[in-house]
Amino acid sequence: MFKGRYDHAARLGLYFLIAAILLAGAAVPDAPRTFQVLTFAAMLAALGMTGSRLARRLVPDFGPASHGVAAFSFAVGIAVVPATWLGQIGWLRPAPFLAWTAVAFLLSRLLPVRGPAEEGPVPATSAARSARLDLVLIMAAGLAVALAGLDDMDRLRWAPAGMHGFDDTSYHLSEVATWIRSGDLRMIRFSMGDPSTPFYPVLGEVASWVLIAPFRDSDVAARWTQLFFSLASFLAVAAIARRLGLSRRSAALAAIAYAGIYHVFPILAVAAGNDPATAFFTLAGVDAAIALARRPRLGTTVTAGAALGLLLATKYIGVLFAPMILAMLALAVWIERRRRERHESAERPPARRLAALAALLAVTLALAGGYTYLRNAATTGNPIFPAPVSIAGVEILPGWWGVSTADRAHEPEYRIDVWHFLTRSSKLFGGYFPFTLLPAALLAPLLALWRRRWLTAMTFLLAIVFFLEFLYLMQDHRDIRYFLPAIALAAVAFAWLLEMGGPRVARPVRGLLLAWIAFQEVRRVGETGAAHLAAAVAVLLAGWLVEIAWRRGQRRAQAPAGPWIAWAAAILVAALAPALAWGVDRYQAVKLEGQPAAAALERLTGPRGARVAYAGYNQPYHFFGSRFQNDLQIVPRNRSVDAQYYRWGARLANPYVEGSYSRWKEILDDLGVEWVVTVRTPWEDPEHRWVSKRTSDFALAYQDSEVEIWRVIDSAAPAGSAR
């Protein structure tokens, strides 16, 4: 009795501590860096615990892996959807967001829930050497993948955003920096490059803003926004495998086979884009759809709708992927209903209830993912603008010419040799894909159909469908990032095929693949043979030790730990906070050392920042300053000044059609611009020509082979300040 009281008091204390830190972080904008680190940890804890609470309320029968996937989906939704609407009303500031997070966290504690679902008895892992070796290899391969990822992140620990991704420092983070300055969701429009980016869904960018909010002036976490989604994707792969009846070892194999592709992890993971997020929500939608098809219920419907809605909110590719998942769901429900009709004793859900669940699914999907499409529809008349919408060759909703796949089919990015791409692109797929995951993606649906496992077959067919959509409905065929969910499902298909072959086939093949993955990951650590050997020994030893700990934990009935582990974690974070704060400050001090022009602007503008006009390339992010202290703008050249940003109700006129110098200079003066940054490229904008010929208005302050920085003479603009 007393233990129960102590546990309850400890939980309440932990909850109020988390909420208090968040509220204090909201109230104190200039908090010490150590407290910002604590606020960041409290925010992640609050979002994670709120998502988990919702998952336990809505889908209490989900197993651990599926519960984790649902919890992560809800956690992202709880953060990103309200932040999006805060941006719509001009309140996109850390204070209201952190206060909302604290309130949502405390309210979630009031939800009555049942305990987490159990997966059932764990099969005995006795002392069979083959079984133990199998488990050791799983642990070792997983640790090797993690080691390769940690090694890459260690190399990039002081590096600025964009080391692996061109788009990170183009529109992804430049939009975030613009929001930090403005407090709303205005979308930056470039004078050069793809003009479509302002209309794209924004979940990935809002997620990056969320990771900046506790720090206010540092992107130390946001530059790796997709790392969180990548790790959750690996869990989603395992969840789908378990949902289809695979053993935990086969589920682990599927997750490792997906994560072991180096381009998937860590290359795409240490970025601030949206591709791993797109993959995660696709896989989360598949997992929830399988559960919903088997047992249509309210909670599972909300879970599936949230995942698919967040998929649509992440990337336009969701418009292609989500309908395929919904079609699979509808067909699976119909097949299940027909099966139950043949067995009259079996209970089947009434048609009215299914219709109500379908309506709930649509409403949840719209609430989670509808903002961008509603904005585009209200402003342009086309929810997926600038892509035109055509039916049977007739244009229903207008867009821009040159945006559709048919318009871009002649471009080099569209051309593809499918066989060569799938079998020879080792830098993208890794070495084992053509011999394992690729044939499995083709064979598993056929075997599942032959065995009349309809839902399993449809799940595996999605991998083929996603790739065909990539092939015929997407313009860029240079990268695998556009169909990551297909590769993930191929990994599940491979694990499923092995399990269908029985233990005599599964164990040796699984062992060979795991050893291959561990070997190739270890080779990426360090540059010498000694480093590779040390890493291999460390990985094998660690895998063996983890296997021993896992077996002992399975044999021993563990009493619930209560809140004390959480308190221990909180104390550990508090102890590490000063060191982590030092790391943030160190990153802030050196992040621009590899960006000489941005560092020069930092010195010229001083700590308070300045108003800066940027011209010449669609890579402005680093010129916002290391602390977002510069009010950077791409200044219009003509009278369409109100079209400088895209926002709800904005005009679609092109503000960068070349006008006169006098008009551009007039706009500079009206905006109070103090510095002009021009980037020299073969597609040079007119600003460089204008400023270089008018030395009475501009003075050259910095120059290198690519960038020039000009001071506006006699500018009366006050210095900008980071908000």
Side-chain angles (χ1 to χ4, degrees):
M1 181 176 67
F2 290 109
K3 182 180 184 302
R5 289 181 181 177
Y6 289 144
D7 285 355
H8 182 66
R11 287 192 185 91
L12 287 178
L14 182 66
Y15 301 158
F16 283 111
L17 175 64
I18 291 173
I21 291 174
L22 288 172
L23 292 174
V28 184
D30 298 320
R33 191 69 80 184
T34 299
F35 191 79
Q36 291 179 354
V37 170
L38 293 175
T39 304
F40 178 75
M43 181 190 73
L44 294 183
L47 292 174
M49 294 169 73
T50 305
S52 180
R53 191 81 172 186
L54 276 176
R56 287 176 60 192
R57 174 64 178 173
L58 293 171
V59 282
D61 59 332
F62 274 21
S66 291
H67 169 84
V69 170
F72 188 80
S73 297
F74 287 133
V76 174
I78 290 163
V80 168
V81 175
T84 301
W85 288 104
L86 285 173
Q88 175 60 27
I89 62 176
W91 287 10
L92 192 61
R93 302 291 185 193
F97 172 75
L98 293 174
W100 152 253
T101 304
V103 171
F105 170 66
L106 291 176
L107 290 176
S108 72
R109 300 299 97 189
L110 302 178
L111 288 175
V113 297
R114 287 188 285 169
E118 299 291 339
E119 284 196 313
V122 178
T125 59
S126 68
R129 291 185 178 179
S130 59
R132 290 195 60 183
L133 178 61
D134 195 30
L135 191 55
V136 168
L137 285 173
I138 289 174
M139 303 296 183
L143 290 170
V145 172
L147 181 63
L150 289 171
D151 179 68
D152 194 65
M153 287 183 279
D154 180 65
R155 287 190 302 103
L156 300 177
R157 67 189 183 280
W158 310 126
M163 299 306 292
H164 284 325
F166 172 88
D167 288 343
D168 291 6
T169 47
S170 179
Y171 71 97
H172 290 308
L173 288 174
S174 296
E175 286 178 354
V176 177
T178 301
W179 300 342
I180 290 171
R181 299 292 314 181
S182 66
D184 58 32
L185 284 184
R186 65 185 66 185
M187 309 297 289
I188 191 171
R189 297 184 70 176
F190 294 123
S191 61
M192 183 178 294
D194 186 358
S196 304
T197 57
F199 308 96
Y200 291 168
V202 295
L203 182 143
E205 291 75 19
V206 178
S208 294
W209 181 91
V210 166
L211 295 179
I212 291 173
F215 299 106
R216 284 177 163 81
D217 66 350
S218 176
D219 63 354
V220 64
R223 60 188 168 142
W224 295 345
T225 303
Q226 294 305 300
L227 177 62
F228 298 89
F229 292 99
S230 293
L231 298 177
S233 296
F234 308 152
L235 184 63
V237 172
I240 293 172
R242 294 292 285 158
R243 184 77 67 187
L244 296 179
L246 274 66
S247 68
R248 284 190 292 184
R249 296 188 183 195
S250 294
L253 172 69
I256 292 170
Y258 176 55
I261 298 173
Y262 192 67
H263 195 68
V264 172
F265 184 80
I267 297 297
L268 292 175
V270 287
N274 52 28
D275 297 299
T278 302
F280 168 75
F281 289 121
T282 303
L283 297 171
V286 170
D287 182 56
I290 296 172
L292 184 58
R294 288 174 173 167
R295 189 181 172 193
R297 290 175 305 142
L298 185 147
T300 314
T301 301
V302 172
T303 304
L308 294 176
L310 294 172
L311 167 61
L312 291 173
T314 304
K315 200 176 181 79
Y316 269 161
I317 288 175
V319 177
L320 303 177
F321 287 175
M324 298 300 102
I325 299 172
L326 291 173
M328 179 202 79
L329 172 61
L331 183 57
V333 170
W334 180 79
I335 291 174
E336 181 66 15
R337 189 174 175 83
R338 289 292 303 271
R339 186 187 67 80
R340 296 193 178 201
E341 285 177 354
R342 290 195 296 269
H343 300 81
E344 295 182 359
S345 60
E347 180 185 355
R348 60 188 177 92
R352 182 177 298 178
R353 180 165 176 264
L354 290 178
L357 291 178
L360 177 63
L361 179 68
V363 170
T364 307
L365 190 150
L367 290 175
Y371 171 81
T372 303
Y373 303 90
L374 182 61
R375 179 200 63 190
N376 290 352
T379 305
T380 71
N382 179 354
I384 61 170
F385 190 89
V389 178
S390 302
I391 298 178
V394 179
E395 187 175 276
I396 305 301
L397 299 175
W400 281 343
W401 182 88
V403 172
S404 68
T405 304
D407 294 333
R408 295 187 175 184
H410 65 281
E411 296 181 359
E413 293 82 5
Y414 185 81
R415 297 169 191 163
I416 183 173
D417 181 334
V418 175
W419 178 253
H420 186 276
F421 178 75
L422 291 175
T423 61
R424 301 295 177 88
S425 303
S426 58
K427 289 186 178 180
L428 296 177
F429 290 99
Y432 56 85
F433 176 84
F435 311 104
T436 53
L437 276 58
L438 177 59
L442 301 174
L443 295 176
L446 299 177
L447 180 59
L449 287 171
W450 182 64
R451 294 194 171 194
R452 296 179 179 272
R453 298 190 179 185
W454 309 117
L455 188 53
T456 301
M458 286 187 287
T459 302
F460 293 150
L461 279 171
L462 283 176
I464 299 174
V465 171
F466 291 157
F467 180 75
L468 291 176
E469 287 184 318
F470 162 75
L471 196 60
Y472 294 107
L473 300 179
M474 300 181 199
Q475 300 94 354
D476 190 347
H477 293 151
R478 295 173 297 175
D479 205 312
I480 65 173
R481 62 193 181 99
Y482 303 107
F483 62 98
L484 290 177
I487 301 172
L489 291 175
V492 178
F494 177 75
W496 184 82
L497 282 178
L498 286 187
E499 199 151 291
M500 292 302 100
R504 291 187 177 181
V505 174
R507 279 183 181 167
V509 176
R510 183 165 58 208
L512 285 173
L513 179 58
L514 290 168
W516 188 348
I517 292 174
F519 173 72
Q520 72 172 16
E521 295 299 299
V522 163
R523 287 183 60 196
R524 295 190 174 99
V525 178
E527 299 180 354
T528 65
H532 299 158
L533 179 60
V537 172
V539 162
L540 286 174
L541 180 60
W544 177 61
L545 293 175
V546 172
E547 185 271 340
I548 291 174
W550 185 86
R551 276 191 305 113
R552 290 181 176 176
Q554 295 301 323
R555 287 202 301 260
R556 188 182 306 159
Q558 297 288 339
W564 305 109
I565 290 181
W567 268 107
I571 293 170
L572 178 62
V573 170
L576 293 176
L580 295 173
W582 173 86
V584 175
D585 286 333
R586 166 72 174 163
Y587 165 74
Q588 289 297 120
V590 303
K591 61 182 284 190
L592 295 182
E593 285 185 354
Q595 307 289 326
L601 182 65
E602 188 102 347
R603 293 189 298 271
L604 292 169
T605 60
R608 295 185 59 199
R611 291 195 176 103
V612 178
Y614 177 88
Y617 204 30
N618 58 346
Q619 288 279 304
Y621 177 67
H622 294 306
F623 294 97
F624 279 92
S626 63
R627 298 176 293 102
F628 309 112
Q629 71 271 24
N630 294 328
D631 184 5
L632 183 142
Q633 302 182 46
I634 302 176
V635 176
R637 304 181 190 129
N638 54 47
R639 297 189 181 276
S640 300
V641 179
D642 59 338
Q644 178 182 5
Y645 298 101
Y646 175 64
R647 44 192 154 187
W648 199 298
R651 290 200 306 134
L652 294 184
N654 184 356
Y656 303 117
V657 173
E658 184 171 346
S660 65
Y661 165 75
S662 59
R663 177 57 182 159
W664 179 73
K665 182 61 166 60
E666 179 184 338
I667 299 171
L668 283 187
D669 293 339
D670 290 343
L671 294 175
V673 170
E674 300 166 83
W675 300 88
V676 176
V677 175
T678 62
V679 181
R680 308 296 305 274
T681 69
W683 313 276
E684 198 165 274
D685 283 341
E687 285 84 352
H688 178 265
R689 183 177 71 251
W690 288 340
V691 298
S692 62
K693 290 182 178 180
R694 290 167 174 85
T695 55
S696 60
D697 293 335
F698 303 93
L700 184 63
Y702 171 85
Q703 183 179 33
D704 62 26
S705 60
E706 296 180 350
V707 179
E708 293 180 1
I709 301 176
W710 297 79
R711 181 173 60 85
V712 181
I713 298 176
D714 295 330
S715 173
S721 60
R723 299 181 186 181

